[in-house]
Amino acid sequence: MATPLRYTLILLLWTFMAAIYLPLVPAAFTLIAPALAIAHWLALFADPQLLQALLATLVSVTLAATGALSIALLTVLAFWPGARWARLCTRLPWLLAVPHVAFATSTLLLFAEGGMLYRILPFLSPLLDRYGVGLGITLAVKESAFLLWILSALLSEKQLSQQVIVLDSLGYSRLQCLNWLVLPSIAPALGKVMLAIVAWSLSVVDVAIILGPGNPPTLAVLSWQWLSQGDADQQTKGALASLLLVLLLVIFALVGYLLWRGWRRTIPAISGVRLHFSSCTAGRSLIQLLPISGVVCAVVLLLMAEYSSLNRDALINSLQMGVLASTLALVTLLIWLEWGPQTGHRWVWLPIILPALPLVTGQYTLALYAEQDGQFITVVWGHLLWVTPWMLFVLKPAWQRIDARLIVIAQTLGWTQNRIFWQVKCPLILRPALIAFAVGFSVSIAQYMPTLWLGAGRYPTLTTEAVALSSGGSTAILAAQALWQLLLPLVVFALAASLSAWVGRFRQGLR
């Protein structure tokens, strides 16, 4: 590529990435500025809703994080490595395609008073949940699929599976293998994933509105309500509540780190002592729970949906936003991976590991200053802050696995970087790019807060409609909105899988 053209491309690339990540600056200011006045803190702590909201948040997040980790590790303990583990991994993308709001809606329609299960077995209906127990359990089941998807990549190293087989053959239990070999190998990466799960669970608003306690709600919902008020004092309390979410994330991270340090001290030297431990029963139950939960979600929505009540505007808006955001992010990330920085860009991952609420506040602040709130393209821009890092999460490992020898051969033939990118790297990255596009589309479909605020309520989506209907109204209409919110990502994932398989049929030599 000619030098002036290359510099122009790099400049455009950095400009686009800066536009996506610029809300991090006002988000930090929004959190820090109110925190400098003691009177603001006193007003926050004097609010009678704060303590109950804080307790509900702590309970739900702790259940979500520990539950997801327990389900994932017990499944690994029982079935990795092996054929059943491989079969489970092939099913995980389909469960990941189920949006959180659709999953929460089916749980509500199934277990809430007046729901399907209540009509059959009324005594099984849960009592009033003030502490977010149901919210935590639902998030644990949903996030365990994401955690298993990450573990399937972390545990794909052939040498690690061979070492486990050797320990099995020497008579060591699977628990010993997990404790002495597997966890020490994957602990750093696993810690980052758990941090992302905790951050998302802390700041989730849409699912908490559907399943969480109502009055007072979780801290994220309470902060959202305060920030939505026109009163400056209420907005200040909302900003401080958002800062509390960040502080809670730090506390959870610190506790997790201390537990990890304590666990490391318990790992003994290999002494030859074998322990007998069987996890097959628990593992089989859990490995069936995940696929069944996805099927139950779809069946409940299918049975209760009223198909004539679909909001077509919401469907069209969701489809357009998802396709546009995913396409823009995919093009940007392919250029970023080729011509962007190779090191020193960890800030790209901040939207994944930080609570979403202050980031949305930063986006809204910028949109107001630029007088672009209520615009369709502004909503798409808001989605990109989460679509971009999640797609990079899928693309980057595949990009790093490109055989460097192919690049060297192309360079010896005199090929330019531009030609190598288009004719060598892009064909090799095509199948991961299709998967990344499907993931980005699913992330965009699930966005609730940026859609509602940046769109000023002018662009209803399947997610915003489902959350609005969950607080009251027809259950049939609610089920219809949630069903279509489930079907759109599934269709995109199915298309991506079909195209990936079709490409693989004609290019088997590149596997």
Side-chain angles (χ1 to χ4, degrees), residues 261-344:
R261 289 289 299 271
W263 162 74
R264 285 185 62 184
R265 295 191 185 98
T266 65
I267 300 177
I270 302 296
S271 60
V273 177
R274 277 72 165 169
L275 298 177
H276 297 287
F277 177 82
S278 176
S279 62
C280 291
T281 302
R284 287 196 187 98
S285 301
L286 292 173
I287 206 171
Q288 295 296 330
L289 173 64
L290 293 178
I292 288 176
S293 64
V295 173
V296 170
C297 172
V299 169
V300 169
L301 297 178
L302 279 169
L303 292 176
M304 301 198 69
E306 181 181 321
Y307 301 98
S308 61
S309 60
L310 174 66
N311 187 330
R312 298 185 182 275
D313 289 337
L315 175 63
I316 294 173
N317 288 336
S318 298
L319 183 61
Q320 290 177 339
M321 290 176 186
V323 171
L324 187 55
S326 301
T327 303
L328 288 173
L330 181 60
V331 173
T332 302
L333 289 175
L334 288 175
I335 300 174
W336 177 264
L337 289 169
E338 177 66 17
W339 287 283
Q342 301 302 312
T343 58

Side-chain angles (χ1 to χ4, degrees), residues 196-215:
I197 291 176
V198 170
W200 187 87
S201 302
L202 275 171
S203 61
V204 63
V205 171
D206 45 11
V207 179
I209 290 175
I210 297 173
L211 292 178
N215 190 23

Side-chain angles (χ1 to χ4, degrees), residues 457-476:
R458 300 176 185 174
Y459 304 99
T461 64
L462 296 172
T463 300
T464 60
E465 290 296 289
V467 174
L469 289 168
S470 65
S471 59
S474 171
T475 56

Side-chain angles (χ1 to χ4, degrees), residues 49-361:
Q49 302 178 89
L50 181 64
L51 180 59
Q52 184 64 35
L54 189 60
L55 287 175
T57 299
L58 290 174
V59 170
S60 61
V61 173
T62 302
L63 284 175
T66 57
L69 184 61
S70 300
I71 294 173
L73 291 183
L74 282 174
T75 305
V76 170
L77 191 64
F79 293 103
W80 179 82
R84 286 178 291 186
W85 171 260
R87 286 196 298 270
L88 174 65
C89 292
T90 60
R91 300 171 185 170
L92 287 176
W94 301 106
L95 186 56
L96 289 171
V98 179
H100 286 80
V101 169
F103 194 79
T105 300
S106 65
T107 303
L108 177 70
L109 295 176
L110 185 61
F111 291 102
E113 184 174 350
M116 297 178 66
L117 189 62
Y118 178 83
R119 298 172 187 174
I120 302 173
L121 302 170
F123 60 90
L124 289 181
S125 179
L127 300 175
L128 182 63
D129 185 5
R130 298 183 58 208
Y131 298 100
V133 175
L135 172 63
I137 294 174
T138 303
L139 291 177
V141 175
K142 188 69 175 73
E143 293 305 309
S144 64
F146 167 68
L147 190 53
L148 281 170
W149 182 50
I150 301 300
L151 287 175
S152 66
L154 295 177
L155 298 175
S156 61
E157 186 179 348
K158 188 175 182 180
Q159 183 180 1
L160 187 60
S161 62
Q162 290 174 342
Q163 290 173 337
V164 171
I165 293 172
V166 170
L167 286 180
D168 283 341
S169 65
L170 293 175
Y172 290 97
S173 70
R174 298 307 302 272
L175 181 59
Q176 288 176 303
C177 295
L178 179 72
N179 196 36
W180 295 350
L181 176 64
V182 177
L183 284 180
S185 301
I186 66 174
L190 183 61
K192 297 175 184 177
V193 177
M194 290 304 301
L195 184 65
I197 291 176
V198 170
W200 187 87
S201 302
L202 275 171
S203 61
V204 63
V205 171
D206 45 11
V207 179
I209 290 175
I210 297 173
L211 292 178
N215 190 23
T218 61
L219 187 59
V221 177
L222 187 60
S223 177
W224 172 261
Q225 292 173 350
W226 282 336
L227 287 169
S228 302
Q229 299 295 322
D231 183 71
D233 293 335
Q234 296 294 321
Q235 292 179 354
T236 299
K237 287 166 57 176
L240 292 179
S242 298
L243 182 58
L244 278 183
L245 292 175
V246 178
L247 295 177
L248 285 177
L249 177 63
V250 174
I251 293 173
F252 271 102
L254 180 60
V255 171
Y257 176 74
L258 293 176
L259 290 174
W260 175 67
R261 289 289 299 271
W263 162 74
R264 285 185 62 184
R265 295 191 185 98
T266 65
I267 300 177
I270 302 296
S271 60
V273 177
R274 277 72 165 169
L275 298 177
H276 297 287
F277 177 82
S278 176
S279 62
C280 291
T281 302
R284 287 196 187 98
S285 301
L286 292 173
I287 206 171
Q288 295 296 330
L289 173 64
L290 293 178
I292 288 176
S293 64
V295 173
V296 170
C297 172
V299 169
V300 169
L301 297 178
L302 279 169
L303 292 176
M304 301 198 69
E306 181 181 321
Y307 301 98
S308 61
S309 60
L310 174 66
N311 187 330
R312 298 185 182 275
D313 289 337
L315 175 63
I316 294 173
N317 288 336
S318 298
L319 183 61
Q320 290 177 339
M321 290 176 186
V323 171
L324 187 55
S326 301
T327 303
L328 288 173
L330 181 60
V331 173
T332 302
L333 289 175
L334 288 175
I335 300 174
W336 177 264
L337 289 169
E338 177 66 17
W339 287 283
Q342 301 302 312
T343 58
H345 56 281
R346 294 184 177 179
W347 49 269
V348 174
W349 309 109
L350 287 176
I352 295 181
I353 62 175
L354 288 177
L357 190 53
L359 302 183
V360 176
T361 305

Side-chain angles (χ1 to χ4, degrees), residues 39 55 140 228 325 404 407 422 462 503 508:
L55 287 175
S228 302
I407 312 302
W422 286 108
L462 296 172
V503 170
Q508 296 183 13

